[in-house]
Amino acid sequence: MPGLLFVCTMRLILVGFGTVGRGVAESLLASEPELSVAGAEPRVVAVVDPVVGSVWREGGLDLGTLLRLADTGESLATYPKAETVSGLKEALEVAGGDVLVELTPTDLHTGEPGLGHVRAALKAGLHVVTTNKGPISLAYHELRNTAHKAGLQLRFEGTVLSGTPVLNLCEAGLAGAGIREIRGVVNGTCNFILTEMEGGTSYAKALSKAQHLGYAEADPSGDVEGRDAAAKVLILANSVLDANLKLEDVNRTGISELTAEDIQTACKAGKTWRLIGRISQGENGWEAKVGPEEVNRADPEGSLTGPENLLILDTEALGEVTITGPGAGRRATGHAVIADLLEVHRNAP
Ligand code: HSE
């Protein structure tokens, strides 16, 4: 006979209600039954976004109403019976959240505004779930230590391979397996562009399609110049392999120099270009690099299409473990947040 299930309400503050934020709201709605089976009842009590508006409501905000307002271009300030807030600082003061869900656009140079949001939330005693690569790639050790000292969780599954589980897989199932090397395709936009160009689409048109489909970053140069992939490789190195690398330590080349001719020549030889990220042991510890490599079409990396991502984790205990799945997209990234929220719920004291 099933035991009594205690339902635990998690008060969420969402910062960022653009493509990813709305994907998270959709995922929260779609996953309600599974969350409830697990005894978790996430309740969004505040949404903070400088463009669509910032509001809070003691009893929680209805996700369908938030989505309808944002999708029709109406300010969230028109939400019935909700109060407006000036920004995250005020939301933290008035809404009393348990978890900050940080979903603002990534800035790999400064980490802002996400870095400030994560620091403020940890200081205020909230767990943090984020899909933002800026804060985690630039300040992972600092943020992890702050969270650890405060007994809080910092989870960021969506920063690598979006909703395809890698970080949680490494933390749980692959713990103790002795990872020797990690390699694979970690940028969906580049993989999409390369696949489209193999079909004869021009680079410019393929990039514009990737932007339209929501795969590319707000500044897509980060995707095509390999900075997005470098940030993901760095996050894997530091959080999974306990390396102490910085973004500038990742040896990086993008795909923007690849010509249509390079791509067609590879195709004729049964090969294909892929942007590959790699972390392996060098003479002085872990080394990380990102760059285009010509691979056989029959290789796991070569058969990936569109925004698919793939990682091969070479381990002492199991040999190679491969995981593949979507690496970008609104709903896929939304799922990463659901998985992290469930982990926060399971690990909460
Ligand atoms: N721009 C990223 C990509 C989004 O294309 O992979 C997911 O991190």
Side-chain angles (χ1 to χ4, degrees), residues 20 106 131 133 158-162 185-192 210 214-220 222-223 228-229 232 307-309 326-329 333:
V20 178
T106 291
T131 60
K133 287 155 277 190
T159 58
V160 183
L161 265 64
S162 73
V185 172
V186 292
N187 183 272
T189 300
C190 286
N191 211 62
F192 178 83
Y215 305 146
E217 299 299 306
D219 171 7
D223 291 296
D228 175 82
K232 289 167 179 164
E308 292 268 294
N309 280 190
T333 309

Side-chain angles (χ1 to χ4, degrees), residues 54-138:
S54 304
V55 286
W56 88 282
R57 189 164 172 266
E58 175 62 40
L61 296 155
D62 176 68
L63 295 168
T65 308
L66 290 171
L67 284 167
R68 185 179 51 72
L69 290 174
D71 286 342
T72 54
E74 270 187 81
S75 168
L76 299 189
T78 61
Y79 188 109
K81 296 195 180 134
E83 290 178 49
T84 57
V85 283
S86 54
L88 179 62
K89 189 168 177 285
E90 192 183 348
L92 286 170
E93 281 163 12
V94 296
D98 301 309
V99 185
L100 178 84
V101 184
E102 214 292 333
L103 310 165
T104 60
T106 291
D107 181 325
L108 294 178
H109 299 289
T110 65
E112 298 298 351
L115 183 53
H117 293 159
V118 176
R119 284 184 178 136
L122 292 174
K123 197 170 168 200
L126 276 73
H127 302 291
V128 173
V129 169
T130 185
T131 60
N132 189 336
K133 287 155 277 190
I136 306 300
S137 60
L138 294 172

